[in-house]
Amino acid sequence: MIVMKRIYQILVTLILTLCFVMEVSAQIRGTNITVTVTPSHKDWAYKTSENIDFMVSVMKSGTLLDNVNVSYEMGPDMYPDTRKDVVLKSGTTKITGKMQVPGFYKLKAIAHVADRDYQAHCIVAVSPEKILPQAQCPKDFDEFWEKTIKDARNTSLESHIEYLPERSTPDVSTYHVSFQNDRWGRRVYGILNVPTKTGKYPAILKVPGAGVRPYGGDEGLCKKGVIVLEIGIHGIPVIKEQAYYDNLYTAALADYWMNGNNNRDRSYYKHVVTGCIRAIDFLEAFGNGDAVQWDGKNLGVCGSSQGGFLTIATTALDKRVSCYAPVHAAMCDHEASLKKVACGWPHMFYQVAKPDMAEVECMRYYDGVNFAKRITVPGWYSFGFNDDVVAPTSMYATYNVAGGEKVISPYQQTGHFWYEEQYKEWFDFLLGKLGIK
C-alpha cells in the first residue's frame, strides 16, 4: 500500500510539473514592442518612377511609442542603396522611395528600444509584369535532359512496396515505396496513398522542399479521390525518426545543394530531377492489372521552395504531367545576381566578386527559368512579396516567361511560408484541373 501511494504521489507530481511547464511556455507569445512597415497601395504594386510611400510605425502595447530611434535601409530587393537613422517623435513616419526599372523595392526598419532591436520589412512590386529573367539557356539544354532521362531509364525500376497498416484507414491504403533511379542501387523513397475503392484515379506527385526529413504522405488529399505519391530526394527511407535525418543534414548531406555545381553531370540535382521523372514511371507501372490504378491521363505535380523548382522542371520534362502548381519556387534566375538583380535560393552568385564560370554554365542546366519556358500545360504560381529566401523578383521573372495557360496568385504579406487560404487555393487549383470537385 505504501509503495502504491508513493507511486501515485510521484505520478501526480510529474503531471503537475508537466502542466506547469506547458502553461508557462504557452504564455510566451510575441513581443510587446512591434514594428510595422505598410505600403500606401493596397495591392502592394507600383509603376516605375512612381513614388513608393511606406508608413513605418513602432508600437508598445498596441499604441504608438514616442521618441523611438529607428534605422532603415531601402532600395531594390537584396540591393539596398539608402541607409538612414531617424527619430520617430510620434512613433510613426512616412518614408518614400522610387524605382526606375521593373522589379521589387524593399524597406527594412529596425527600432532600437531599451538595448533591444525590433524589425520589420516590406517588399513591393514595381511594374512586375515587365520583369524579365537574366538566365541564359545552353544551346544543348533539351538534348542534355533528353539523354539524361533516357540513360536513367536504362536502369530498371525494381519497385519495393511496403504496406503501412498503422498509417492506413478504411478509405486509404498507405505504403512506403522505393524504386531505382538513374543507376543500380540509387533509389527514390516515398509515401504512396491509394484509395481503397476499386477504380482508376488521377494522381498527384508531391516533390519536397530543401532539407532532410521524413514524410507522411497526404491521406486527406487521397480521400478526395486521388492517388498521392510524396517523394524524398536523398535516396534514404522516409519513415525513420527525425533524429536520423538531423544527423544526416548536419554531416553527410550538409549543403548538399552545392555539391557538383561546377559540372552539369555531377550536380546533385541531376539525379534529383531524374528521380522525379522515375516517380512518374513508378506511378504508371503501379497497379497494372490490379484493382486501383492511375488513370494515365490526369497528373498534377506540386511543391514549394526547392519543390517549386522540381515542380517546374518535372512538368517541363515529362509530357505525362497535365497540370502543376509551384509555390515560392527556388532555383530560378541564378544569374540575376550577376547583374545586381534579386535572385532565387540558394543565391549562388550573390555578392560573389568573381564567379566561377564553370559554376555559372552548370547552373544554367538547373535554372527554373529555362524549364518554365518549355511548359505547355496549365499552371498556378504563388509566392509572397516579403520572401527573403526566394526573391519575388525571381518568381515574376519565371512566371512571365512560363509557357502554357497560367495563373498567378501572390499573397503579398507572406514570406517563405503560406497562409491557410493560400494552401487551400493551391490544392483547389490542382483538384479542379484533375476533374475532382
Side-chain angles (χ1 to χ4, degrees), residues 322-369:
S322 58
C323 60
Y324 70 111
V327 176
H328 45 246
M331 299 181 66
C332 291
D333 215 12
H334 296 294
E335 292 180 72
S337 54
L338 300 179
K339 303 291 181 63
K340 294 191 179 301
V341 175
C343 61
W345 180 91
H347 313 144
M348 279 286 297
F349 310 114
Y350 181 52
Q351 296 183 334
V352 176
K354 294 183 179 180
D356 183 340
M357 287 310 298
E359 290 185 348
V360 174
E361 292 172 4
C362 171
M363 295 312 294
R364 290 170 178 166
Y365 293 91
Y366 301 92
D367 196 309
V369 166

Side-chain angles (χ1 to χ4, degrees), residues 274-340:
T274 58
C276 296
I277 304 301
R278 299 313 307 271
I280 301 177
D281 292 347
F282 169 82
L283 281 172
E284 190 169 46
F286 174 80
N288 276 344
D290 292 340
V292 177
Q293 301 178 35
W294 171 43
D295 65 15
K297 299 181 297 182
N298 299 291
L299 174 63
V301 182
C302 64
S304 65
S305 195
Q306 173 189 265
F309 160 72
L310 294 175
T311 295
I312 293 171
T314 304
T315 303
L317 295 174
D318 200 314
K319 298 306 179 185
R320 292 172 294 184
V321 178
S322 58
C323 60
Y324 70 111
V327 176
H328 45 246
M331 299 181 66
C332 291
D333 215 12
H334 296 294
E335 292 180 72
S337 54
L338 300 179
K339 303 291 181 63
K340 294 191 179 301

Side-chain angles (χ1 to χ4, degrees), residues 166-433:
E166 70 280 7
R167 297 194 186 186
S168 299
T169 69
D171 299 315
V172 176
S173 295
T174 301
Y175 303 89
H176 184 225
V177 303
S178 72
F179 44 89
Q180 293 200 127
N181 186 352
D182 58 343
R183 70 184 188 201
W184 186 87
R186 175 181 277 163
R187 303 186 72 80
V188 177
Y189 290 81
I191 299 294
L192 178 69
N193 299 113
V194 180
T196 55
K197 185 179 178 180
T198 299
K200 294 185 177 182
Y201 294 88
I204 290 179
L205 172 64
K206 299 180 72 173
V207 287
V212 189
R213 64 183 71 84
Y215 293 97
D218 199 322
E219 176 193 336
L221 188 58
C222 182
K223 288 175 69 173
K224 293 181 182 295
V226 59
I227 294 171
V228 182
L229 174 59
E230 182 177 33
I231 62 170
I233 63 169
H234 300 300
I236 55 178
V238 296
I239 56 173
K240 292 184 176 293
E241 296 296 325
Q242 183 62 50
Y244 172 83
Y245 304 98
D246 292 342
N247 290 335
L248 285 171
Y249 194 38
T250 56
L253 292 174
D255 299 331
Y256 67 85
W257 50 84
M258 303 297 289
N259 291 351
N261 280 352
N262 61 356
N263 185 318
R264 68 180 189 179
D265 287 310
R266 294 186 178 182
S267 168
Y268 194 87
Y269 283 100
K270 184 179 180 183
H271 76 262
V272 171
V273 172
T274 58
C276 296
I277 304 301
R278 299 313 307 271
I280 301 177
D281 292 347
F282 169 82
L283 281 172
E284 190 169 46
F286 174 80
N288 276 344
D290 292 340
V292 177
Q293 301 178 35
W294 171 43
D295 65 15
K297 299 181 297 182
N298 299 291
L299 174 63
V301 182
C302 64
S304 65
S305 195
Q306 173 189 265
F309 160 72
L310 294 175
T311 295
I312 293 171
T314 304
T315 303
L317 295 174
D318 200 314
K319 298 306 179 185
R320 292 172 294 184
V321 178
S322 58
C323 60
Y324 70 111
V327 176
H328 45 246
M331 299 181 66
C332 291
D333 215 12
H334 296 294
E335 292 180 72
S337 54
L338 300 179
K339 303 291 181 63
K340 294 191 179 301
V341 175
C343 61
W345 180 91
H347 313 144
M348 279 286 297
F349 310 114
Y350 181 52
Q351 296 183 334
V352 176
K354 294 183 179 180
D356 183 340
M357 287 310 298
E359 290 185 348
V360 174
E361 292 172 4
C362 171
M363 295 312 294
R364 290 170 178 166
Y365 293 91
Y366 301 92
D367 196 309
V369 166
N370 292 331
F371 288 102
K373 291 177 179 179
R374 290 161 167 78
I375 291 175
T376 59
V377 298
W380 179 87
Y381 288 72
S382 190
F383 49 91
F385 285 8
N386 274 345
D387 196 334
D388 274 342
V389 178
V390 169
T393 308
S394 69
M395 281 291 76
Y396 256 103
T398 305
Y399 175 81
N400 287 343
V401 299
E405 172 193 332
K406 56 190 178 182
V407 177
I408 191 167
S409 182
Y411 281 67
Q412 290 86 344
Q413 190 168 277
T414 60
H416 205 59
F417 59 90
W418 51 80
Y419 288 140
E420 290 180 11
E421 297 91 339
Q422 189 177 12
Y423 190 85
K424 182 177 184 301
E425 186 181 351
W426 189 10
F427 285 101
D428 282 350
F429 171 84
L430 286 170
L431 293 175
K433 291 298 180 182

